[in-house]
Amino acid sequence: MRAVRMLLPVLRPVAGRDGHRRGGTLLAAALLRCSSSHGTLRRPPPLERRLAWCEEAVALSRAAVFRAWSGAPGLLARSLALHAQLLLQAGRYEEALAAAEDSLTAPDAHVPSQRTAFGHLMRTYALARLDRADEALVAARDSVAAYRSAVPRRADLSLGSTAAALRAQAWVLGRAGRTAESVTVYVECAELLRTLSVWRQARLVVLRSRVLAELIGGLRVLGRFGDAVAVGDDFRECVPPFVPWLHPEVGLLRAALLIDLAWCVGAGGDLSGGRATAEESVACSRALCVSDPAVGEPVLALALDCLAHHLDRLDAHAEERVVSEELVRTHERLAVTDPDEHGPGLAAALDSLARCHTRDGRAPSPSPSPNAVWNSAVVPSGAIPSGTRESWPGCCPTSVSGGV
């Protein structure tokens, strides 16, 4: 991709002003390649730059369609679909929906292809983000069907896959509260990813990480703790330790998965295993805090809460008090910027710490909410606070590196 970027200054004169020369289609194709990420060994450029490239590619593609140049309709459909993806990552959902629908009305959109399927996939995410769940589910099913009927082309590898469409369908079902159906589709998606070649698995490592993390969250909600532990083992085997360095969102996915997994292991009766997994999630969350405190600290609070619960169950009260003190400090920092979101968590953490002090014979710290009760057995479903699991970017459900 770097080589293609270096060619852009050379291609612009060939394309002419506003792409009126035939080199405009070549420049548009180069811009699209720069806009999307390829492989697992490269970090994509900043989103703003990729959006600018893609918008230029859309304009050049429209000019090529107006001049009826060969291949221009397909190039326009691809440009619009990729533009919709980047708009989704930027949180511009209305514009993303418009771009996705435009891609489905391009001159050759009636021909089954990965471009058409990708347009349906982007429309799925845009509708879901706009809380139009029923329409999103229909679009997700259309995307799955389109990918299954399309003939794969090497040039369209970055335009998603059947696995990406299945993940979108499962995600929409989960948002709609249909957890059992969502888990069924996630399992189908995970099995499909398992059957891919090593090369394809490497390209889709972020997608696979996301599928397994979200699958564990659904299994936990359903109380299928043994199945969740098996999925956790699969995650450890299939995601190499260096992947979070290449794709920071995998670090967040890993922390999310470990928190859910710790609760599942503990709920299955293995309190020591639950503690060990919770400690691993705390370490992973602390690493996230170093790279991005805004993303890492809410996850760290959940990981510390999980660890404190298991320490309490194991009667390791001295260690529980230390963890509870760190949990209070974490919630205090979070409550400064978002008291409505993190105030209740702070009150619960203070109650927990007061209980630790009382048990140790110390004077309890005052709590701002005497009525707040720490439920030591229940954590919000999925163990991920609002603003992380579903609005990742870091962990955006539509990131190219995820194979969508």
Side-chain angles (χ1 to χ4, degrees):
M1 188 169 63
R2 180 177 297 176
V4 177
R5 290 207 302 266
M6 292 173 64
L7 286 174
L8 291 180
V10 178
L11 293 174
R12 292 187 192 280
V14 176
R17 184 177 180 181
D18 299 327
H20 67 278
R21 298 177 184 171
R22 286 194 173 272
T25 55
L26 184 59
L27 176 58
L31 287 165
L32 286 182
R33 184 167 180 83
C34 294
S35 301
S36 59
S37 60
H38 298 267
T40 60
L41 299 180
R42 307 180 184 98
R43 289 194 182 190
L47 179 59
E48 296 77 11
R49 187 184 306 173
R50 293 161 62 201
L51 261 172
W53 285 333
C54 198
E55 287 167 0
E56 185 179 356
V58 169
L60 289 167
S61 302
R62 290 191 190 277
V65 169
F66 178 77
R67 293 176 174 85
W69 288 346
S70 175
L75 186 63
L76 176 60
R78 181 188 178 95
S79 302
L80 288 167
L82 284 172
H83 190 214
Q85 181 184 51
L86 296 174
L87 289 169
L88 279 167
Q89 293 183 34
R92 295 157 59 180
Y93 304 128
E94 291 282 2
E95 296 173 73
L97 178 59
E101 291 179 340
D102 282 349
S103 75
L104 295 173
T105 59
D108 70 341
H110 64 283
V111 180
S113 67
Q114 285 181 274
R115 291 192 301 267
T116 304
F118 191 68
H120 285 297
L121 183 59
M122 295 301 102
R123 186 168 179 269
T124 298
Y125 284 119
L127 288 168
R129 290 299 186 186
L130 294 171
D131 295 323
R132 294 160 63 177
D134 293 339
E135 295 173 78
L137 188 55
V138 172
R141 289 169 177 157
D142 289 343
S143 179
V144 172
Y147 275 115
R148 284 177 170 160
S149 63
V151 178
R153 296 174 62 244
R154 184 175 181 83
D156 292 334
L157 282 177
S158 64
L159 296 182
S161 61
T162 303
L166 285 170
R167 184 264 165 184
Q169 183 179 350
W171 180 74
V172 172
L173 286 167
R175 282 174 63 94
R178 298 161 64 174
T179 308
E181 297 172 72
S182 174
V183 164
T184 299
V185 180
Y186 273 125
V187 170
E188 181 184 356
C189 182
E191 290 301 319
L192 176 60
L193 288 167
R194 190 194 300 271
T195 63
L196 297 177
S197 66
V198 174
W199 171 244
R200 285 290 287 158
Q201 287 187 21
R203 290 183 63 90
L204 301 179
V205 66
V206 180
L207 174 63
R208 192 174 187 189
S209 301
R210 185 179 296 122
V211 167
L212 294 178
E214 292 169 355
L215 174 56
I216 283 187
L219 290 170
R220 180 185 161 207
V221 171
L222 296 177
R224 294 167 55 181
F225 304 125
D227 293 338
V229 172
V231 174
D233 293 339
D234 191 20
F235 180 89
R236 294 177 191 273
E237 292 176 5
C238 74
V239 181
F242 63 83
V243 172
W245 181 81
L246 293 170
H247 300 287
E249 63 190 285
V250 175
L252 177 55
L253 288 164
R254 184 170 179 268
L257 181 145
L258 289 171
I259 294 170
D260 278 331
L261 184 60
W263 286 106
C264 290
V265 171
D270 184 4
L271 293 176
S272 296
R275 170 184 174 171
T277 308
E279 288 173 342
E280 191 177 355
S281 73
V282 169
C284 186
S285 301
R286 283 178 177 147
L288 282 174
C289 290
V290 172
S291 59
D292 190 345
V295 171
E297 289 210 327
V299 184
L300 176 61
L302 289 170
L304 290 169
D305 189 19
C306 179
L307 178 57
H309 166 78
H310 284 88
L311 291 171
D312 181 33
R313 293 286 303 277
L314 290 166
D315 294 328
H317 298 307
E319 296 170 73
E320 180 195 357
R321 179 169 53 80
V322 173
V323 171
S324 295
E325 288 171 349
E326 183 179 356
L327 179 60
V328 168
R329 292 194 298 270
T330 302
H331 274 301
E332 284 176 340
R333 291 193 297 270
L334 292 169
V336 169
T337 56
D338 193 347
D340 292 336
E341 177 73 20
H342 299 287
L346 173 59
L350 285 168
D351 280 349
S352 174
L353 182 59
R355 186 183 64 180
C356 291
H357 284 309
T358 300
R359 185 170 49 218
D360 293 345
R362 303 185 182 193
S365 301
S367 169
S369 175
N371 296 324
V373 177
W374 181 49
N375 186 338
S376 62
V378 178
V379 168
S381 173
I384 293 300
S386 172
T388 55
R389 169 162 290 174
E390 289 194 351
S391 55
W392 329 69
C395 288
C396 175
T398 57
S399 72
V400 179
S401 59
V404 175

